[in-house]
Amino acid sequence: MPENGRIFLGKTTTTNQIASTVDEFYFWIKEDAEVQPYDFVTAIDENFYSIGTVVEIANYTDAMSHLSNRIISDIPGEPLLERLSTTVAKVDVFYSYQIKEGKKQEKIYPVKSGVDVYVSTKEEILEALNAGQSQNQYFPAGVISRSIGEEVIVPLQPEYLVGPEAGHMNVSGISGLATKTSYMMFLLYTINKKFPNKYINIIFNVKSADLMNIDVKSDSLDENDKKIYKLIFGDEIFRNGSPEPFNNVQYYQPRGKNGEPLSYSSRRGTIYAFQLSDVYQDLDLLFSDVRDEYHTAESFARFVARDWNEKSNCWEVNGTVQGRRGNQFFFSNDIHNWEELVTLLDNHADEISSIYGLALSTVSRIKRELSRLTESPIFVSQRNRNEVFLRDVIKNSTPGQTIVIDIAKLRRPEQTFVVGEVFRELGNILNSETEQNPKNAIIVVDELNTLAPAKQESPLKEQLIEIVRKGRSNGFIIFGAEQFASEVDDQIIGNSSLRVLGRTSAMEISTSAYSNYSRQEKNTIMMLRKGEMLISYPTFRSNVKIRFPKPPYKILGSNR
């Protein structure tokens, strides 16, 4: 260890074929030094500092070929000839600066050969991650584990995650049960602890009862998890030896048969249901999963919305109809609920066909689809007094409130419809919001590959894309996840400033969705363990490998 007290690792090296650049440099590693991929190191050349992370480690010898090594080691034991050998690390530069007149100034310049390389200090790592900008406020994204043992918090500059500079997060991978959801919830938790009462949290429970106990303290955190929470928050969030879970949480469950919750959870939350008068303008969302090449179902949905009488609260079907014998007569019918709607299409297909210019086969098809889609008990003729309309819940929500919407036990078309209803209300708020009455919301949703698929258009997908395009400047942020990023629309991925990858299969990582990742990074992604993620962020010049703790709340069956 040199006199300056820093841990010496080696010296930078360049050759006539491999040069250091403003983006990367190489250094040989001394024999007893401990260096691992994604360790932060600092090259120091007098007053010039270059900070980066190790992305590749390779060993070189003076052998011209593998055959020559085979020849000198033909028998067991010591080789006949001792080869010259060294281990070299490649470093991606995050930030470089010089100290001039006692002040740090960014200097984008390559490191010379023969410069000492040391383990980065905590202060240097934070400087590198923040590109030299001092940050009084930040969101903790997790911690960096280092070979020397000391962990460092990874700070995210808020304006690049929740706007206005950029926004949204996308998490993908096959890391294991609830890992992606756990990371989204961890980051949501840190944001709410750092900035309480600023955001409305809207969470979709998509799988089992994973997120139906987020206000119940976990009893499964180990000491490493608690250590990370203490590093980030100190003791302020701890009660009885463990961090507090979420608070001010309201749970909403779909209506089941006989008015009971349709849920995997034993918890009894507020029941939600939909009557026709609630969603007469949103029937296109109901048809999201229906193949509609000629937009006939979409046209029918527009006709219902156009002819709805808000005073009478019904769809008024009026028009002159050409009878089968050539005679004309006036047809009129008022539709108030789902049952009347299906009956109308079943008994008066000719009249609907004549009034709205739809083919009889189209009317029959719409009737079949509506019968199938509305057979779920969440579609009711009249809501009970204890049942709510979700869009009213979203409209009346307030900062600091956490809303969990359970959709786990619904079929896919019903899940799509419920998510679409929430996002449509968010879109209405987004378009009508004023500076005097702003709303900030973070929406957590899994299975984006089914909600915004790459090769399929739908009203819900359009709504999601509108939120990711406009939301960052208005405080509406999506935390989305999926197993395979290649199956999600490019606009969803591309508009997400924080991209998080868990362990991913070789087949998936070979797709174009991962074209920006180097070979070394792809190998790392395929070997990530539970609790480890590789993240990219606008202020980071390279990707960072982080660890995060298990959630502070109870998860049935698993705690990650």
Side-chain angles (χ1 to χ4, degrees):
M1 181 175 290
E3 296 179 359
N4 60 10
R6 303 189 60 144
I7 299 176
F8 176 71
L9 298 176
K11 288 181 178 288
T12 57
T13 176
T14 61
T15 70
N16 64 344
Q17 294 183 345
I18 303 176
S20 63
T21 69
V22 296
D23 297 314
E24 63 184 31
F25 65 82
Y26 297 80
F27 72 95
W28 54 258
I29 305 171
K30 74 186 188 83
E31 290 184 2
D32 60 343
E34 287 196 26
V35 179
Q36 295 289 326
Y38 294 97
D39 278 348
F40 274 81
V41 298
T42 304
I44 304 177
D45 184 7
E46 296 182 351
N47 292 327
F48 177 64
Y49 292 68
S50 187
I51 309 164
T53 183
V54 174
V55 294
E56 188 175 22
I57 301 174
N59 182 265
Y60 297 87
T61 72
D62 62 346
M64 296 298 294
S65 69
H66 295 300
L67 179 61
S68 60
N69 281 330
R70 167 72 174 79
I71 292 171
I72 66 170
S73 303
D74 194 31
I75 58 176
E78 293 293 322
L80 300 177
L81 177 66
E82 191 71 31
R83 289 288 188 195
L84 296 176
S85 173
T86 188
T87 301
V88 177
K90 178 184 177 183
V91 177
D92 278 356
V93 175
F94 267 70
Y95 182 62
S96 56
Y97 64 89
Q98 65 178 352
I99 299 177
K100 195 171 185 180
E101 298 178 355
K103 295 181 179 181
K104 294 178 182 178
Q105 299 178 349
E106 182 177 16
K107 183 178 180 180
I108 302 175
Y109 201 75
V111 180
K112 293 188 297 186
S113 185
V115 171
D116 291 348
V117 178
Y118 301 94
V119 172
S120 296
T121 65
K122 175 182 176 181
E123 291 73 21
E124 288 169 346
I125 293 174
L126 293 176
E127 277 187 317
L129 294 173
N130 288 316
Q133 304 295 316
S134 60
Q135 288 295 314
N136 296 323
Q137 293 183 330
Y138 64 89
F139 297 144
V143 298
I144 297 170
S145 295
R146 304 203 285 163
S147 297
I148 63 171
E150 183 187 15
E151 294 178 322
V152 179
I153 298 171
V154 178
L156 301 179
Q157 297 181 21
E159 59 269 27
Y160 289 95
L161 180 61
V162 294
E165 298 296 334
H168 314 297
M169 170 173 68
N170 183 264
V171 188
S172 60
I174 54 172
S175 304
L177 181 63
T179 300
K180 299 183 295 295
T181 302
S182 291
Y183 185 76
M184 291 192 293
M185 294 300 291
F186 163 73
L187 190 55
L188 183 70
Y189 180 81
T190 63
I191 290 172
N192 279 272
K193 291 301 179 183
K194 289 285 184 179
F195 300 96
N197 302 319
K198 183 174 182 180
Y199 298 96
I200 302 164
N201 306 313
I202 302 171
I203 302 166
F204 290 97
N205 179 61
V206 179
K207 300 172 184 173
S208 188
D210 284 354
L211 301 175
M212 296 301 290
N213 291 288
I214 66 172
D215 56 350
V216 178
K217 182 181 288 190
S218 171
D219 56 3
S220 302
L221 296 182
D222 58 29
E223 290 305 313
N224 287 329
D225 295 321
K226 294 177 182 180
K227 181 180 176 183
I228 295 175
Y229 280 113
K230 284 196 174 184
L231 179 65
I232 293 173
F233 298 106
D235 292 324
E236 63 183 271
I237 65 167
F238 277 72
R239 296 291 183 273
N240 299 321
S242 295
E244 292 181 313
F246 284 84
N247 55 26
N248 193 16
V249 182
Q250 288 83 44
Y251 296 90
Y252 295 87
Q253 296 167 298
R255 185 185 190 277
K257 291 182 179 179
N258 302 318
E260 294 297 313
L262 184 62
S263 176
Y264 291 108
S265 173
S266 59
R267 176 188 289 272
R268 183 64 185 255
T270 303
I271 305 296
Y272 66 83
F274 303 94
Q275 54 194 35
L276 180 59
S277 58
D278 293 329
V279 297
Y280 67 88
Q281 292 183 313
D282 304 327
L283 295 184
D284 58 328
L285 293 174
L286 195 58
F287 295 128
S288 283
D289 289 335
V290 175
R291 293 189 64 180
D292 191 27
E293 296 91 341
Y294 302 105
H295 305 286
T296 51
E298 182 183 332
S299 298
F300 174 77
R302 284 202 304 268
F303 293 144
V304 175
R306 185 194 67 188
D307 294 342
W308 190 271
N309 187 321
E310 293 189 1
K311 290 183 179 180
S312 304
N313 215 19
C314 66
W315 176 31
E316 292 184 343
V317 182
N318 297 309
T320 301
V321 177
Q322 185 80 24
R324 292 184 179 180
R325 297 181 179 180
N327 59 315
Q328 291 186 341
F329 63 94
F330 185 78
F331 179 82
S332 178
N333 206 327
D334 293 342
I335 304 301
H336 300 84
N337 56 51
W338 300 107
E339 185 179 354
E340 290 178 0
L341 177 59
V342 173
T343 301
L344 172 75
L345 297 176
D346 193 20
N347 296 337
H348 299 283
D350 288 337
E351 289 84 349
I352 296 298
S353 173
S354 179
I355 292 172
Y356 292 105
L358 299 172
L360 273 174
S361 59
T362 298
V363 177
S364 298
R365 178 169 175 259
I366 291 171
K367 179 260 177 182
R368 290 195 303 271
E369 295 293 353
L370 274 174
S371 298
R372 176 181 64 86
L373 294 168
T374 60
E375 66 183 5
S376 167
I378 66 170
F379 298 104
V380 296
S381 294
Q382 184 71 40
R383 284 196 313 274
N384 295 330
R385 284 186 298 175
N386 63 333
E387 295 171 350
V388 298
F389 177 37
L390 275 181
R391 288 183 65 163
D392 289 340
V393 174
I394 303 302
K395 186 187 303 181
N396 298 322
S397 57
T398 57
Q401 183 179 2
T402 296
I403 299 168
V404 179
I405 302 171
D406 187 10
I407 61 173
K409 214 167 185 178
L410 295 176
R411 299 175 303 173
R412 176 176 165 177
E414 296 150 15
Q415 289 183 341
T416 301
F417 179 73
V418 173
V419 174
E421 278 293 288
V422 171
F423 274 98
R424 183 151 290 179
E425 183 58 36
L426 291 170
N428 288 345
I429 296 172
L430 186 66
N431 293 326
S432 62
E433 197 172 67
T434 63
E435 293 183 2
Q436 291 74 28
N437 187 31
K439 273 193 175 184
N440 297 307
I442 299 175
I443 306 98
V444 177
V445 59
D446 202 348
E447 304 296 338
L448 279 180
N449 53 303
T450 64
L451 303 176
K455 298 178 181 179
Q456 181 180 332
E457 299 302 319
S458 72
L460 172 57
K461 178 177 171 180
E462 293 175 8
Q463 200 72 58
L464 281 165
I465 290 174
E466 181 183 14
I467 297 292
V468 298
R469 286 177 54 244
K470 298 180 180 178
R472 64 181 177 83
S473 58
N474 296 79
F476 279 32
I477 304 301
I478 296 177
F479 285 3
E482 69 285 326
Q483 280 198 340
F484 304 120
S486 61
E487 296 180 356
V488 178
D489 190 272
D490 289 342
Q491 292 192 66
I492 302 290
I493 303 292
N495 277 288
S496 299
S497 62
L498 175 59
R499 189 171 182 191
V500 183
L501 296 182
R503 182 169 58 87
T504 303
S505 67
M507 182 176 293
E508 167 67 7
I509 213 163
S510 65
T511 63
S512 60
Y514 304 85
S515 59
N516 291 334
Y517 292 88
S518 67
R519 176 182 58 82
Q520 297 92 340
E521 288 169 336
K522 290 179 179 178
N523 289 336
T524 297
I525 293 166
M526 288 189 288
M527 295 186 294
L528 290 171
R529 295 172 291 182
K530 279 190 176 183
E532 294 181 341
M533 295 289 190
L534 192 72
I535 67 174
S536 58
Y537 198 59
T539 59
F540 299 167
R541 286 180 63 182
S542 187
N543 298 313
V544 179
K545 181 182 173 184
I546 61 101
R547 279 199 320 116
F548 69 98
K550 292 190 285 289
Y553 55 84
K554 187 175 182 179
I555 300 179
L556 299 179
S558 172
N559 262 303
R560 177 141 340 249

